[in-house]
Amino acid sequence: MKNLFNTLEKLKNKLVKTKDNLLGRLNILLKGKTKLDDTVLEEIREILYLSDIGYDITELIIQKLKENIKVNLEFKYEEVINLVKHELLLILEKGERHNSCFDYNNFKILDENRPKIIVIVGVNGTGKTTSLGKIAYNFKENNYHVLIAAADTFRAAANEQLTVWAKRASVEIIENKNTKDPGAIVYEALDKAIKNHLDVVLIDTAGRLHTKTDLMNELNKIIRIIEKKLNKKPDEIFLVIDATTGQNAVVQIENFLKYIPLTGLILTKMDGTAKGGVIFQIVDKFKIPVKFIGIGEGIEDLQPFDSNEFINAIFEN
Amino acid sequence: MFEELTLKLESAFKKIRGQGKLTEKNISDALREVRRILIDADVNYKVAKDFIEKVEKKSLGKEVIASITPGQLIIKIINDELIDLLGGTTSPLIISNTPPSIYLLAGLQGSGKTTFAAKFALYLKKTGMKPLLVACDIYRPAAVEQLKQLGKQIDVDVFYIDKKPEEIASESIRFAKSNGFNAVIIDTAGRLHIDEEMMSEISRIKEIVRPTESYFVVDSMIGQDAVNTAKAFHDKINYDGIVLTKLDGDTRGGCALSIRAVVNKPIKFVSLGEKLDSIEVFHPDRMASRILGKGDIVTLVEKAQNAFDEKEAKKLEEKLKSNRFDFEDFRDQLKIVKRLGSVSQILSLIPGLSSIQKNVQIDEKAFVKVEAIINSMTKEERRNPRILNASRKRRIARGSGTSIQEVNRLVKQFEEMQKMIKKLNNMDFKKAFRNFNLKIN
């Protein structure tokens, strides 16, 4: 069992590495200001834009500020901060969805249905394999029988990279050097999982740009193989997003959704200066929840996502 | 989304239609829309703001010429200003006088350094150099293995020893010198710009190897944070150029503008695809169109450009009419096509066509060859293709790195084109001109 308090502290420490922190700067800006005039509003706008929150949500928040706080009159800066926090939280809550079969705070599987299937997808270089390694480790820590399927048959040495992670997490891995067909590897992994009554199968897929039709079709095929073999949809399909990504993340998800369903997002590289502001638009638009954030390269650097914690953390300075 | 933007832009332009001059008042709506376009393209907010101010200054008081609409005039100003900010012209690759030329790659995790390293090696190999790839990423699992496998695919040697990155780098230079490699490409681990330990490591590597050029490799999908990372890397290793990766997606790549504005270093290469030969020299004009957006907005830019090129088009029309169309004109036409970007890129920019494009393989190299052949002709030969005899053709083939057969094919195609123009000249001219353009495309 993880100590939740430690998790929180770790998250904050990792997130507050820099004074450039997303909205921490809002605090600095507003302290000492007495009026919410056009100049201050413009500065707030700038801070929001600079955090990749995007046009629509930024303008929405500015609008709310104008409506709720009397322009040009004295104001308490806490009022502004709280209002911005509140609006952002409302957006994240739109994505909150209860998945009855996993408890990620404790990495517990809550029902008897086996094997559980988790598929990891995303564009190139977002940190799919690293995230998968961390998830494998966490389930393994709770004594679940975990199997990794190395279905990235495309990138050079993707197999080797995943094998290192499998070793670190001490879980088994299915890799087939004789085939370039990811479907075949997934099939083999499912077969093994059923035979040996394994708990979780984690499927790593090749990074693919959402504009490549053939690769997107391949992804769809992988999902169909799982459905056919197990008579159920994968329990989770996580899309991994790099926190530095800008507005293109929205387009990415739109396209992935044309081919496969997504049950959650993993926001990686949150230990940098980018804070993944684009997720607000994503959650707002697609109602897909953020499930994890990645805050480093270590095997324990994956944290379950909590809207409140997340917003509090990005407001720290 | 883009359609909506174009509509807004057009309605903003309507306001200025019929007015003789651009004023602060009549362009403010248009500029606000342009600002939104830039922000949606991930151009840094501050950079976008400065940019708009600049455009405003340039626009004010400009007289609207009769032949173009005020909207086109603004778009033209914006496009020119963008190209200017993006570096104006293509920045050449620097090759050291004393081999080996050393190239150092640095960047965040997952930006595509290792893949680019292999692409760059293949690129150098094709120019006749003998490159050595150096694996200095000892941190990410299997990163060395990845580079080794890529090296094997392109038949380029990969250097690695089980030591610290600094030592691998310095050993590799010695190895390259004594083994006749004249280019060394050093792939390093991805690192966060706020990771001080790792940042001093890259700075030490740079000190040790003293690269001919060092490049900051950046994922073109990066958002507002681009300026922070680009600046931090710049402060630490003062790189000479930028490499934009993953441009084969549909990101509009506003970071190109942001990074240029913050560090004022040229963008050297763009990397666009899974195949190891998909690397291109950076073209500021193509990037400008891309940042401004897809389909309709690009058309607006083109319309504006065309309006300005009308004089040239008239000249060409005259030539076509009098059957004086020669290889010189042909080359000009090719340049116009190239100015718009590569053919497959142009196709991908047309909404709805990207799926069709999948099934159509476009041979971009064919264009390069055609241009090389024409360039290898003398001015006289271009003006008067009839004088092309066997020995001239042999020389042209040698000069352009093609074969006599290829030269013959081009000449034949050209003659057929001339015949067609002649035939069409007797018909409706406008229609003929359209057909002709189609033929070239």
Side-chain angles (χ1 to χ4, degrees), chain A residues 42 46 49-50 52 55 124 154 156-157 160-161 209-210 212 244 246-248 251-252 269 271 273-274 297, chain B residues 36 42 44-46 49 109-110 141-142 146 149 192-194 221 223-225 246 248-251 274:
Chain A
E42 177 55 24
E46 183 174 310
Y49 273 126
L50 286 177
D52 291 314
Y55 191 91
N124 316 65
F154 185 82
E160 286 80 352
Q161 185 185 354
L209 283 181
H210 49 289
K212 312 263 166 181
T244 57
Q247 305 304 304
N248 191 250
V251 191
Q252 282 173 27
K269 308 186 196 174
D271 45 338
T273 45
E297 284 168 306
Chain B
R36 165 150 198 192
D42 290 320
N44 180 273
Y45 185 69
K46 288 183 200 159
K49 238 163 87 176
Q109 287 96 340
Q146 184 188 355
Q149 289 188 14
L192 278 176
H193 52 293
I194 48 172
M221 292 181 279
Q224 299 284 326
D225 199 46
K246 305 182 203 172
D248 49 329
D250 52 7
T251 176
E274 316 264 358

